[in-house]
Amino acid sequence: MTDTAPHAAEGGKQRNHDHKGHDKDKDKAKDKDGAKQVGKALRKAEHHIENLDKGPDDDIERRLERADASSKLLSSVWDESPSELLQFHPGDQLTDVDGGSTPGFPGNKAQGERFIAISSGEIVRYQQLLYANGTKGSPRRMLIVLQGMDASGKGGIVRHVFSQTDPMGIHYHGFGAPTKEEQAHDYLWRVRRELPKPGWISLFDRSHYEDIVMPHIYGTFPEDVWRARYDQVNEFEHELVDSGCTVIKIFLVITKDKQKEHFLTRLSDPTKHWKFDVSDLDARARWDDYMAAWQEVFEKTSAPEAPWYLVPADNRWYSRAVVSELLRTSLRDMGLSWPPLNCDADAMRRRLDEE
């Protein structure tokens, strides 16, 4: 009995060790299968896109159909659509989101970056379509709100996702502490000034939500004042959507450990000193307060027509891929076509021939 007990225990440990090893093998096989699946989907999408513009130049509707098909092929790299997987729903908790995860994307970093490059090219196509319609009187436009703790990668998203877009039609604005002029107006005054014009895409690095979160945490306004802003913001965004503006609100979820890593890099690299401010550490010291304040924001302002998306952001290639997917599919789903010529083409050709 005394001899068999230790052996039995060792056997149990060995079986447990074997089980863990088996799980790791299964995970590796799953990762390999996922990467293979993504690689195949990317190659298929690239091939389709290469042939997208082949054919008669005047076959506009057919070209748009092929563009739609190409975009859907590109979306097939995801196990589940980010618009469904990452959208905030009642009962969701910000603190439950794993900032280091990559939900819905079974591929690796290299494939994620390849996806971003391909998607960026297709975003250009839809951006030009949106802009063209805006010049002809369409009210369609888009507002993208980027929020997140310091060092969550908001600026990087703007640089990477919009790397191939035409500057004409893209408007970026970063919101800081209100100036004296802005303080003399209603808090939405400065926001309205930066809204997209017809056919344009505006990106807000921080936004009107700072005017709820900051007084919530620091008590700079009475509670009844900042709480009233929930309804005001909902009404403001509802009016935007009703007037033809698509609103996409993204919160980049970074872990505290990853933020610390980025802060240390900024302190060590002279070329990044400009990115660091002592106030960044003051905000970090109140991390839990920020999480609670943002949780309430999501609960009170995530609406079907203007939802919040909670995007894991420790892996920046992943968060950029998510934003690229959300942007491209939202543009595609507008269902726009190229505006028709508003004159007689044959008559215009004759005038040119007569010169």
Side-chain angles (χ1 to χ4, degrees):
M1 296 276 300
T2 55
D3 286 335
T4 57
H7 291 296
E10 288 174 9
K13 289 180 181 177
Q14 182 62 44
R15 283 192 297 272
N16 185 51
H17 176 74
D18 290 344
H19 177 69
K20 288 182 178 178
H22 181 62
D23 285 346
K24 288 182 179 178
D25 289 341
K26 286 176 64 178
D27 289 342
K28 287 181 180 179
K30 184 177 180 181
D31 290 344
K32 188 176 181 180
D33 288 343
K36 185 176 180 180
Q37 169 194 330
V38 171
K40 183 178 179 180
L42 287 174
R43 287 191 298 273
K44 192 172 182 180
E46 281 183 307
H47 177 72
H48 203 274
I49 290 169
E50 286 174 1
N51 296 294
L52 191 58
D53 294 323
K54 294 180 179 178
D57 289 340
D58 60 350
D59 192 0
I60 295 297
E61 292 308 314
R62 178 58 182 153
R63 289 168 63 183
L64 288 172
E65 288 174 5
R66 292 201 300 267
D68 181 76
S70 296
S71 182
K72 288 177 179 176
L73 277 174
L74 198 51
S75 293
S76 71
V77 306
W78 299 87
D79 284 339
E80 187 173 348
S81 168
S83 64
E84 298 174 1
L85 188 62
L86 303 178
Q87 184 176 331
F88 177 85
H89 294 98
D92 289 346
Q93 295 295 314
L94 172 59
T95 52
D96 288 341
V97 178
D98 179 3
S101 64
T102 57
F105 193 85
N108 53 38
K109 178 181 178 180
Q111 290 175 323
E113 291 175 342
R114 184 179 168 199
F115 169 86
I116 294 166
I118 299 171
S119 182
S120 293
E122 292 308 284
I123 286 172
V124 173
R125 186 188 307 277
Y126 288 115
Q127 180 220 345
Q128 292 173 340
L129 190 59
L130 176 65
Y131 185 79
N133 277 269
T135 65
K136 298 301 181 180
S138 170
R140 299 309 302 269
R141 57 205 190 281
M142 179 178 287
L143 171 63
I144 301 174
V145 172
L146 295 174
Q147 292 281 172
M149 297 295 283
D150 295 313
S152 58
K154 298 184 292 296
I157 280 179
V158 175
R159 288 190 298 274
H160 287 78
V161 174
F162 295 86
S163 61
Q164 299 183 47
T165 52
D166 188 338
M168 182 62 72
I170 300 291
H171 173 62
Y172 167 84
H173 186 79
F175 287 93
T179 64
K180 287 186 178 180
E181 180 187 18
E182 291 168 346
Q183 289 176 343
H185 296 81
D186 175 81
Y187 72 100
L188 287 175
W189 178 78
R190 64 174 184 164
V191 176
R192 294 183 187 279
R193 297 176 71 190
E194 307 298 337
L195 289 174
K197 296 178 288 187
W200 283 63
I201 299 173
S202 284
L203 298 102
F204 286 178
D205 184 338
R206 302 187 188 278
S207 67
H208 41 294
Y209 285 99
E210 298 288 322
D211 295 296
I212 296 176
V213 170
M214 299 305 282
H216 184 167
I217 295 172
Y218 295 99
T220 49
F221 286 102
E223 184 172 346
D224 62 331
V225 172
W226 61 261
R227 282 201 175 278
R229 291 177 177 177
Y230 286 127
D231 288 339
Q232 294 164 8
V233 163
N234 284 332
E235 182 178 355
F236 167 64
E237 292 178 351
H238 182 76
E239 291 174 354
L240 279 177
V241 174
D242 276 356
S243 67
C245 184
T246 296
V247 178
I248 302 174
K249 301 183 295 191
I250 295 164
F251 188 87
L252 300 173
V253 184
I254 188 174
T255 59
K256 205 171 182 181
D257 286 344
K258 181 58 71 170
Q259 187 195 57
K260 180 178 180 179
E261 181 183 317
H262 287 306
F263 281 170
L264 290 173
T265 298
R266 291 178 180 182
L267 290 168
S268 301
D269 185 348
T271 67
K272 295 183 178 181
H273 285 174
W274 63 275
K275 290 186 175 184
F276 189 84
D277 192 274
V278 176
S279 63
D280 296 341
L281 296 188
D282 295 335
R284 179 178 169 81
R286 302 194 64 166
W287 188 278
D288 291 345
D289 294 335
Y290 274 90
M291 296 299 103
W294 279 110
Q295 176 69 31
E296 189 168 279
V297 164
F298 305 143
E299 291 173 352
K300 294 185 177 296
T301 65
S302 191
E305 69 272 16
W308 276 101
Y309 297 98
L310 309 189
V311 181
D314 279 11
N315 296 292
R316 293 191 168 178
W317 63 266
Y318 172 78
S319 56
R320 293 164 185 169
V322 168
V323 175
S324 185
E325 175 71 6
L326 291 174
L327 171 60
R328 194 191 74 260
T329 55
S330 294
L331 287 169
R332 181 194 70 204
D333 292 346
M334 287 183 180
L336 299 175
S337 184
W338 290 102
L341 191 66
N342 59 358
C343 59
D344 187 324
D346 290 336
M348 296 303 103
R349 291 190 188 95
R350 285 194 295 272
R351 284 187 60 179
L352 290 169
D353 289 340
E354 292 169 359
E355 288 183 354

